[in-house]
Amino acid sequence: MKNKILKRSGIIAYSMFIILTFLTIWSCKKSVSPVEVISEDQTKPGIVTDVRVENLNGAARIIYKLPQSPNILYVSAKYPIREGYERESKTSFYTDTILVEGFAKAGEYDVTLHTVSRANIMSDPVVVKVKPKTPNYILVNEGLDITADFGGANFYGANPDKSPISVHLLAFDPSKNKFEEKDPEYINGGIVDVSLRGFEAVPQEFGVYTTDRFGNKSEIRYSKLTPLFETLLDKSKFFVYRLPSDAPLWPGWELRYFFDGSLNEPGWHTQDAPVTVGTFGIGPSAKISRFVLWNRLPGMYSFQNPKSITIWGSNVDQPKDVNLPRISSPGDIAGDWVNMGNFMYPDPPSGLPGSQANASDNAFAAAGINFRMPSTAPPVKYIRFLVNQTWGGLGYTNAMEISFYGINQ
């Protein structure tokens, strides 16, 4: 028995010796990496040469030739974008171009270029003069058309570079004798179309300025105008205008209950259909400013309740039926119908998943969700309410009530 124990102890000791020997050899071996971030070469790298500059809106693209050195890791560019604030851009040795951006205004700026080695040794500086054009955020602000809108003002214009910007809206508060700023609107598309509403149809003072992601801020533009009068469209003049491609209905849950002024059941409830559509007239032609939607209680964020919506409209006296596309953009035309806007029902304010919405989330939805109609939407006499997606992802839908605001033409 003693011999067996000694033998086993010898095997364990020998195994430990082999492991320790392997670890020692492995730890002494120099690390090999295809990137080779760490280097013992303390040689100062060469500078970039043959520098060319392409000036852009609020930015510049610098093209250069790298020195013949395998030890270069990246190129650094340091530059001021406004008084008291400097940025640094970096790009790897795999490219011969670096973008410097965020300049507050058009003008001439010095950009200092360095090559940096894998040992973090910097080359001698190369100073390049760039002359960025007027930044996009300024172009956007200067190009905005400020016009009277329903209950307020509309700010419309192009975002030429489609760069992310924030549009800040202000309104003068006589009780405080100062301009109050509303929550900014974040834009990253090609069009700015935002409105400030909730004001009476008497002369009001508004303001707007834009900012970019680099902390730059434009001048404030002011405008005094009278908001357009907005009213709740008379739902007693609404009527069902059923078309062949409208979705079949659940017994007892007819489309007329969707605009009967009641939040009690029944509402509008369809059966399975390739596309869920309900069509109705709204009486005289009207320019619609917004609509309010009430989903079905208590699960406003689940089941068959609408989540993705497209409003199609027509100003023809008796518009004909057409199979509406599931994917379209505002302004697209299908037969007698025009896409007035695509809308997404907001997520629960709590941040919870729809199926876990709490009492506050439900109270928020139960008050009705407002959807602003794009200012470019034309006057219409008929509405086709298209549900692209429900919260449950089902092939049918239900909703309790809808109201439209605007003004009759």
Side-chain angles (χ1 to χ4, degrees):
M1 181 67 177
K2 183 177 180 180
N3 290 337
K4 289 183 178 180
I5 294 175
L6 289 173
K7 186 176 181 180
R8 182 179 300 168
S9 298
I11 293 172
I12 293 173
Y14 180 77
S15 299
M16 290 300 294
F17 171 78
I18 294 297
I19 293 171
L20 289 172
T21 300
F22 173 80
L23 290 175
T24 300
I25 295 172
W26 180 81
S27 64
C28 292
K29 187 177 180 181
K30 186 175 180 179
S31 175
V32 177
S33 167
V35 179
E36 196 182 348
V37 176
I38 299 173
S39 173
E40 297 175 358
D41 185 354
Q42 299 295 306
T43 304
K44 180 186 291 188
I47 62 173
V48 296
T49 56
D50 297 339
V51 178
R52 293 180 291 115
V53 175
E54 180 185 353
N55 293 306
L56 310 169
N57 294 116
R61 185 176 291 111
I62 302 174
I63 304 98
Y64 48 80
K65 183 178 180 181
L66 285 166
Q68 294 295 321
S69 173
N71 198 34
I72 292 175
L73 181 61
Y74 65 90
V75 173
S76 165
K78 293 183 179 180
Y79 50 99
I81 62 172
R82 58 180 178 271
E83 186 175 352
Y85 193 87
E86 184 180 76
R87 290 196 77 239
E88 181 179 14
S89 298
K90 296 179 180 179
T91 188
S92 79
F93 65 93
Y94 289 111
T95 181
D96 63 355
T97 304
I98 191 167
L99 181 69
V100 292
E101 55 184 343
F103 296 101
K105 58 184 179 180
E108 185 174 87
Y109 299 81
D110 287 342
V111 178
T112 303
L113 299 176
H114 291 274
T115 58
V116 182
S117 73
R118 300 179 189 279
N120 203 33
I121 304 298
M122 299 180 70
S123 71
D124 291 331
V126 174
V127 179
V128 181
K129 292 189 180 297
V130 299
K131 296 180 181 180
K133 304 173 186 178
T134 302
N136 188 63
Y137 77 98
I138 294 179
L139 293 175
V140 170
N141 194 62
E142 292 177 345
L144 289 175
D145 289 328
I146 306 175
T147 57
D149 197 1
F150 291 100
N154 176 256
F155 305 81
Y156 185 90
N159 180 16
D161 292 347
K162 298 184 180 180
S163 302
I165 61 167
S166 296
V167 180
H168 302 255
L169 307 179
L170 306 94
F172 187 76
D173 187 341
S175 66
K176 298 179 181 179
N177 197 33
K178 66 176 184 179
F179 280 86
E180 292 286 329
E181 182 173 332
K182 309 302 179 182
D183 291 336
E185 299 273 357
Y186 300 100
I187 308 294
N188 57 11
I191 295 295
V192 176
D193 184 4
V194 296
S195 291
L196 194 55
R197 289 178 172 162
F199 300 89
E200 295 182 3
V202 296
Q204 307 279 352
E205 293 181 81
F206 299 97
V208 60
Y209 69 91
T210 55
T211 57
D212 65 12
R213 59 192 176 95
F214 305 102
N216 297 315
K217 176 182 175 181
S218 73
E219 297 292 329
I220 299 177
R221 292 180 57 201
Y222 295 100
S223 180
K224 188 173 184 178
L225 49 81
T226 301
L228 301 177
F229 176 73
E230 177 191 63
T231 187
L232 173 66
L233 298 188
D234 186 357
K235 287 193 275 189
S236 68
K237 298 179 180 179
F238 289 16
F239 58 93
V240 175
Y241 186 76
R242 185 164 181 80
L243 294 174
S245 64
D246 283 0
L249 299 172
W250 192 264
W253 290 67
E254 300 176 21
L255 182 61
R256 63 188 176 93
Y257 296 127
F258 193 32
F259 43 82
D260 66 351
S262 173
L263 298 180
N264 297 322
E265 296 186 359
W268 175 49
H269 193 315
T270 70
Q271 298 188 45
D272 285 338
V275 180
T276 302
V277 183
T279 307
F280 53 96
I282 60 172
S285 178
K287 173 74 173 176
I288 296 174
S289 58
R290 61 188 171 99
F291 67 94
V292 185
L293 176 67
W294 286 266
N295 274 352
R296 186 181 180 185
L297 293 166
M300 287 86 80
Y301 303 98
S302 58
F303 304 118
Q304 309 99 322
N305 280 306
K307 184 176 184 181
S308 174
I309 304 158
T310 297
I311 300 291
W312 291 81
S314 178
N315 212 32
V316 176
D317 285 336
Q318 292 183 323
K320 296 182 175 58
D321 187 34
V322 66
N323 291 319
L324 298 175
R326 293 297 296 268
I327 299 175
S328 61
S329 300
D332 286 355
I333 294 175
D336 294 331
W337 302 90
V338 59
N339 179 330
M340 300 178 67
N342 299 320
F343 308 91
M344 187 65 70
Y345 199 94
D347 292 331
S350 66
L352 293 169
S355 59
Q356 299 176 25
N358 59 30
S360 296
D361 296 329
N362 290 334
F364 168 75
I369 302 299
N370 274 268
F371 298 89
R372 186 180 70 84
M373 190 68 71
S375 61
T376 52
V380 295
K381 299 177 182 177
Y382 293 86
I383 294 291
R384 300 200 80 183
F385 188 89
L386 169 63
V387 180
N388 301 300
Q389 180 187 6
T390 66
W391 280 91
L394 305 176
Y396 57 101
T397 193
N398 57 215
M400 297 309 299
E401 187 73 14
I402 192 168
S403 293
F404 289 91
Y405 288 80
I407 187 170
N408 291 115
Q409 299 295 289

